[in-house]
Amino acid sequence: MGNLSNKEYTSAALKTAYIGMAGNLLLAAIKFITGMLFHSTAVISDAVHSLCDLFGDLIIIAGIKLSDNEIHEKKRFEKISSAVISSILIVTGLVIGIKALKQIFIKQYNCALTGGTAVITAEIISVLIKEALFRYTRYRAEKLNSLTLRANAWHHRSDALSSLCALAGITGAKAGFACLESAAGVLICVLILKTAFGILIQSIRSS
């Protein structure tokens, strides 16, 4: 918390969480509209994914509000919420990795080309917004010394990498290299799991 009072910390942390929530809502709207207009199941599914990210935002907001009064309670909820977010990251990484490995082993790549440039543009916007949210949230996490916000920052980064994986698959399929999505998926899975377990271990060890 640095030199901030408990009230100042809570206000700053909530502001950061609300900005992340707004970003997820914006991305969900962009992807859903694009998916509906160009009949892209892949993009509509990605929109649902963005809406599911709101669950993580709500956990963080609830944790911050519940720990508003006592410092020892704040530490406890920081540990709980960061552990929950890191668990979500682990599941995300495993889903990406299992899907990628399955595609590699059976040599069947499901990259939807419907929508063409519009779908690619939507994924690029997703990567840029999520990367911006990652950098902003990570900066605020360091400023506030918040393990919860640090975990959520990497949740944003995992989403950016997931969209990058989809983008690699779409552009690769257009160029005749559909296997790029699976190759990227394996690398992204390893990175997400490494980060998630690091955050989980830190939250368990923190006092």
Side-chain angles (χ1 to χ4, degrees):
M1 290 175 56
N3 297 322
L4 294 177
S5 67
N6 198 45
K7 185 175 181 180
E8 289 172 332
Y9 170 87
T10 299
S11 176
L14 282 174
K15 178 183 177 182
T16 305
Y18 285 136
I19 288 175
M21 177 179 283
N24 285 327
L25 283 171
L26 175 62
L27 283 176
I30 291 173
K31 293 174 184 177
F32 184 75
I33 292 172
T34 303
M36 292 296 291
L37 287 176
F38 295 96
H39 309 289
S40 173
T41 303
V43 178
I44 292 175
S45 298
D46 210 10
V48 174
H49 182 196
S50 293
L51 285 175
C52 290
D53 290 338
L54 294 176
F55 174 68
D57 295 324
L58 291 174
I59 291 173
I60 290 173
I61 291 170
I64 293 171
K65 288 186 174 182
L66 286 172
S67 61
D68 190 27
N69 296 320
E70 301 291 340
I71 291 179
H72 72 276
E73 284 295 300
K74 183 177 294 299
K75 290 181 179 179
R76 186 166 71 90
F77 280 109
E78 278 262 318
K79 291 176 66 175
I80 293 173
S81 55
S82 62
V84 171
I85 298 301
S86 61
S87 298
I88 293 173
L89 281 173
I90 290 171
V91 173
T92 300
L94 288 175
V95 168
I96 293 173
I98 290 172
K99 176 184 175 184
L101 289 173
K102 182 179 178 181
Q103 289 178 339
I104 290 173
F105 284 127
I106 66 176
K107 296 183 179 181
Q108 181 178 345
Y109 310 105
N110 302 314
C111 299
L113 298 179
T114 309
T117 304
V119 171
I120 291 175
T121 301
E123 292 298 336
I124 290 174
I125 291 173
S126 178
V127 171
L128 293 176
I129 291 178
K130 275 297 186 177
E131 181 64 18
L133 285 173
F134 161 73
R135 292 177 182 274
Y136 170 73
T137 306
R138 185 180 62 172
Y139 169 77
R140 298 297 293 170
E142 296 300 323
K143 199 83 171 175
L144 299 171
N145 191 26
S146 171
L147 186 60
T148 300
L149 290 180
R150 179 173 178 266
N152 201 37
W154 281 100
H155 189 196
H156 290 311
R157 169 58 70 83
S158 75
D159 291 336
L161 292 173
S162 179
S163 293
L164 192 62
C165 182
L167 181 62
I170 294 169
T171 54
K174 288 176 71 67
F177 300 99
C179 61
L180 282 180
E181 179 185 20
S182 300
V186 173
L187 293 176
I188 289 169
C189 170
V190 173
L191 177 59
I192 291 176
L193 290 179
K194 180 177 180 295
T195 301
F197 279 112
I199 294 172
L200 184 60
I201 292 172
Q202 185 178 351
S203 69
I204 293 173
R205 289 179 177 176
S206 64
S207 56

